[in-house]
Amino acid sequence: MYLVIDIGGTYTKYGYFTIKGECISKDKYETVKTDIHCFYQSILELVKDDVEGIAISMPGLINSQTGDIEAITLLPFLAQHNIVQELFEFVKRPITVCNDAKCAALGEMWKGHLIDAQNALLMVLGSGIGGTLIMNQHIIESPHHKAGEIGSILMPMNQDYQTMTNFGAHNNANILIKELSEVLNCSNDGATVFSLIHTKKEALLLFEKYCREIAFMIYNLDYILDLDIVCIGGGISEQPLLIKTIQEQFSSLRDKYKEDQHEPIIQSCLLHNDANLLGALSFYLSKKE
C-alpha cells in the first residue's frame, strides 16, 4: 500500500492506493502553513505501518530527481529544503516528490484524457495556476524546472506596462470564487457560487471575462506549441459551465483572429482532483522500476 499526498494552497488531499492505482481510502485536511516542523508533522501522522512508500504532489519549482524545492510561493518556508531527504529521516521509507501540475498530467496520461496525447497542455486552476507541457507524448522537463509554469507569465495591469501581475495571481480559481461570492452576496465556496451565478448579470459578465482571459492564454500557447488537447484541472474544472464558457470564448477569438484550421480540444481532466494523486503515484512507481 502506498500513501499518496497532494499538497495544495488550501487543502492537502491524501489517499492510500494499490500499485494498480486503486484507491483504498482518501481524505483531506487544511494545509498546514505555520512552519516546517508542523507541516512535516501533519504528513507523518498519515504514515501507517503497512505503507511501503510515499508519493507527494506539491506546487513549486521542484527538482523531482533530488527532492530539492527550489522555489514555492504558497509555502515559502519549504524553499531551499529537500523534502525527500528530510522526511526520510523520520519515516525510513522511499519517498518521491513531483510538481503538482506535472502530477496531474501524469495522472491523465495514465488513466485520463491524455492517454496517447501527442502535444498537450494541462492547466490547473486552484490557489495559483499550474501548467505542464506535453510534446510528442513526453512531459517537457527543463534544467531550471520552469517549463510549463504558465502561472508566472506576466500580464500588464495598465497601458504603459509599468505595473504587472502574473497570470496565476490574477486568474486563479480562488480569486474568481471570492469575487463572484461578493457580487452574489453569498458564501465564499464554489458550489454555492455556481448554483447562483445565473441570478445576476454582473456575476456572469465577471465569469465570462475570467474565461476569456484563460481562453486568450490557450490561444497564444496553441500557436507556440501546436496543441491537440488542453486539459483543465483543479476543483473548479468539475463545473461544466467553466469548460463550456472557456470553449465559447476560445471559439470567439478563433473566429476573429485564426490563421489556420486546426483547433485543440478543450476539456476538463477526466480524473478531476484525483489526477494529482494518481500522477504522484505514477511518478513514484516509475522511479521504483
Side-chain angles (χ1 to χ4, degrees):
M1 181 175 77
Y2 302 95
L3 169 60
V4 187
I5 304 169
D6 175 32
I7 299 160
T10 305
Y11 290 103
T12 292
K13 297 180 287 292
Y14 66 94
Y16 302 93
F17 287 79
T18 69
I19 196 170
K20 294 183 179 180
E22 299 159 339
C23 183
I24 299 166
S25 66
K26 62 181 178 179
D27 205 344
K28 67 178 181 180
Y29 60 89
E30 288 190 15
T31 298
V32 175
K33 301 180 182 179
T34 50
D35 58 69
I36 194 167
H37 174 77
C38 294
F39 175 82
Y40 280 163
Q41 187 59 39
S42 70
I43 292 177
L44 297 177
E45 289 173 1
L46 306 177
V47 182
K48 299 180 180 181
D49 290 342
D50 52 351
V51 164
E52 296 180 43
I54 302 169
I56 299 173
S57 159
M58 62 186 298
L61 298 182
I62 296 169
N63 186 330
S64 57
Q65 302 306 311
T66 64
D68 289 307
I69 302 171
E70 299 185 2
I72 179 167
T73 303
L74 296 176
L75 300 168
F77 55 78
L78 289 175
Q80 306 306 310
H81 282 266
N82 187 304
I83 191 170
V84 169
Q85 291 179 6
E86 291 171 9
L87 279 177
F88 183 79
E89 291 301 314
F90 295 101
V91 300
K92 306 300 183 185
R93 293 169 173 84
I95 302 167
T96 59
V97 63
C98 187
N99 170 271
D100 53 356
K102 287 184 172 61
C103 284
L106 287 168
E108 289 291 315
M109 292 169 77
W110 186 16
K111 293 178 179 287
H113 278 149
L114 294 179
I115 295 174
D116 298 327
Q118 290 293 319
N119 288 7
L121 165 69
L122 187 135
M123 182 185 297
V124 181
L125 306 178
S127 304
I129 294 182
T132 299
L133 309 177
I134 296 164
M135 301 295 288
N136 300 318
Q137 296 188 315
H138 290 92
I139 289 177
I140 298 297
E141 298 283 1
S142 61
H144 306 104
H145 320 294
K146 294 194 290 186
E149 289 292 337
I150 59 175
S152 296
I153 292 175
L154 288 178
M155 301 174 60
M157 296 294 286
N158 53 26
Q159 291 185 344
D160 63 4
Y161 283 72
Q162 293 301 308
T163 305
M164 299 279 184
T165 185
N166 66 46
F167 183 60
H170 187 68
N171 291 294
N172 68 68
N174 288 11
I175 287 178
L176 172 68
I177 297 303
K178 181 177 182 294
E179 290 179 348
L180 287 172
S181 69
E182 291 169 355
V183 171
L184 294 165
N185 194 27
C186 68
S187 60
N188 181 16
D189 73 89
T192 303
V193 162
F194 278 96
S195 70
L196 297 172
I197 196 168
H198 289 285
T199 64
K200 278 195 178 180
K201 185 177 180 180
E202 184 184 352
L204 279 173
L205 289 174
L206 175 63
F207 180 65
E208 287 173 1
K209 178 179 181 293
Y210 174 86
C211 291
R212 187 170 182 82
E213 292 188 358
I214 300 295
F216 171 79
M217 182 62 69
I218 293 171
Y219 181 97
N220 287 338
L221 291 172
D222 178 41
Y223 272 101
I224 297 170
L225 302 167
D226 193 10
L227 298 167
D228 298 311
I229 182 170
V230 176
C231 259
I232 297 177
I236 195 173
S237 70
E238 298 186 42
Q239 297 290 340
L241 183 63
L242 176 82
I243 306 302
K244 177 177 180 290
T245 309
I246 291 173
Q247 181 64 67
E248 289 172 351
Q249 295 297 323
F250 180 79
S251 296
S252 175
L253 290 171
R254 290 281 300 172
D255 289 344
K256 291 180 181 179
Y257 304 110
K258 69 180 179 183
E259 298 179 0
D260 71 306
Q261 297 304 311
H262 171 75
E263 294 189 12
I265 297 167
I266 300 174
Q267 57 188 18
S268 64
C269 289
L270 179 64
L271 304 173
H272 296 297
N273 273 339
D274 284 347
N276 292 22
L277 293 170
L278 283 166
L281 177 60
S282 174
F283 180 75
Y284 175 95
L285 295 173
S286 72
K287 296 286 287 181
K288 186 180 176 182
E289 291 175 355

